[in-house]
Amino acid sequence: MNFALTEDQKMVQDMARDFAKSKIEPVAMALDESHEFPEKLIKEMGELGLMGVNIPEEYGGAGFDTVSYSLAVMEIAKGCSSFAVTMSVNHLVCEIIRLYGSEENKQKYLVPLASGEALGAFCLTEPQAGSDAQNQKTTAKLSGDDYILNGKKAYITNGTYSNVFIVTAVTSDKDAPKKEISAFLVEKDAEGLILGKPEHKMGQCASNTIEVTLENVRVPVANMLAGTNGFKVMMNGLNSGRIGIASLCCGLSMAALDEALAYAAERKAFGKPLNRLPVIQDKIAEMGTLLEASKLMTLNAAFVKDSGSNYAKTASMAKYFAAENCLKIVDEALQIHGGNGYVREYKIEKLYRDARITSIYEGTSEIQKVVIARQMIR
Ligand code: CAA
């Protein structure tokens, strides 16, 4: 077994690390305060190929593998997880169009998304359909060559700035024996697509999250992905998205560990630096070990995806493990900071808030275990 990175993987990792250090880290704390979406910097990431790392070059991407993508998300998330979630959701949208879009869909939507000229949003969640994602109320009714969509989507990442939205809707009749869910590509300028105000969130404040309402939105049949298999489309997309979020968790944990190490070297207690105290060394060892395991599981999931095998289980395991341990790592890193960790001046306070969503979005930890168990038992 060879764990060494290839030259390409190292190059992508270095490039993402340089960008995060030079462009993201200097502004991350201020953006957290202002809740501003960093539109210009996201565009710059696109120019570097960071918005379509593992999408083939013929479709506007950088043409690298999923391991490279995962390494890039880790570095960007180490700079600020708001940038990483923006990037990860865009890749999720790209992946769905790559897998299920027609050639026309790919040229029209995937090329601009993967090259970073445009941004994408994934609209599955509804006010009553979070973990129970099949409980969809949005409807799509056929009318000539178009479907007419009506409904509401909640917690949509990138919504305000997206050019294309993948939207699920129920296409079967109310009394049909089996509910059919379909997925549609909806353009931002579609009449009746109403974008809500950005949510005021606890963390990841420089990422954009809104409610999207659809009022008689006309979508051409040509923008329907995989017929009535829309739920499967979204689930398969989420498998890939979960590698992105697992990578984000690793990057966030890397940042928290760095903060803890720096603080423990600087701060003195009982006449010596904190890092000389066994109780602190125990915490550092625990955090380092959990992070190492999270990274290995995440890169393994990316590797399994690249190898072409079914990766639903490994992706959910990585997302579950990396998110739960990200929460533990930021918590211990804050604990090492003592009271200082509880005030805004210290970066760990931001990391702690940023981390809380990771065991919730793209499938809660509880849902990851449902996916893992179903893959193991079938
Ligand atoms: N990969 C591929 N197929 C999957 C799958 C997966 N991970 N999970 C389920 N499926 C398939 C099943 O095999 C099944 O197919 P068949 O009908 O052919 O058997 C079909 O989907 C329905 O699955 P279930 O019977 O298991 O359906 P369920 O309703 O009991 O449970 C669930 C499904 C796994 C709980 C699903 O609803 C789920 O994943 N929920 C969480 C939704 C989620 O992750 N939302 C995140 C929102 S996006 C987001 O957060 C982005 C962001 O902004 C950061």
Side-chain angles (χ1 to χ4, degrees), residues 85 89 92 122 124-125 130-134 155-157 178 231-232 235-236 238-239 242 245 312 361-364 367 370-371 374-375:
V85 72
V89 170
L92 161 58
F122 176 85
L124 172 70
T125 305
S131 288
D132 184 8
Q134 291 206 66
Y155 301 125
I156 303 306
T157 302
K178 195 174 178 283
F231 192 69
K232 281 280 189 66
M235 290 299 112
N236 280 322
L238 279 173
N239 292 334
R242 286 165 184 163
I245 300 300
Y361 63 19
E362 296 224 4
T364 61
I367 288 296
V370 170
V371 175
R374 286 185 186 170
Q375 292 281 328

Side-chain angles (χ1 to χ4, degrees), residues 28 168 174 193 256-257 282 343:
T168 44
K174 247 191 191 152
L193 185 81
L257 185 54
D282 179 84
V343 294

Side-chain angles (χ1 to χ4, degrees), residues 50-71:
L50 286 166
M51 298 309 277
V53 178
N54 59 339
I55 299 299
E57 284 172 286
E58 59 182 306
Y59 293 122
F64 295 105
D65 59 10
T66 314
V67 170
S68 306
Y69 164 62
S70 171
L71 292 164

Side-chain angles (χ1 to χ4, degrees), residues 302-357:
F303 174 80
V304 174
K305 178 173 188 280
D306 284 334
S307 72
S309 305
N310 179 349
Y311 65 98
K313 184 184 73 179
T314 38
S316 276
M317 283 178 167
K319 199 275 180 180
Y320 163 62
F321 191 86
E324 288 298 320
N325 287 307
C326 178
L327 297 186
K328 284 190 192 148
I329 291 167
V330 292
D331 190 53
E332 284 293 52
L334 192 147
Q335 189 71 13
I336 289 172
H337 282 71
N340 286 338
Y342 202 64
V343 294
R344 283 278 159 108
E345 281 93 306
Y346 285 82
K347 189 172 157 189
I348 193 62
E349 188 269 348
K350 170 186 182 293
L351 299 176
Y352 185 84
R353 284 183 288 106
D354 285 349
R356 190 59 192 87
I357 191 65

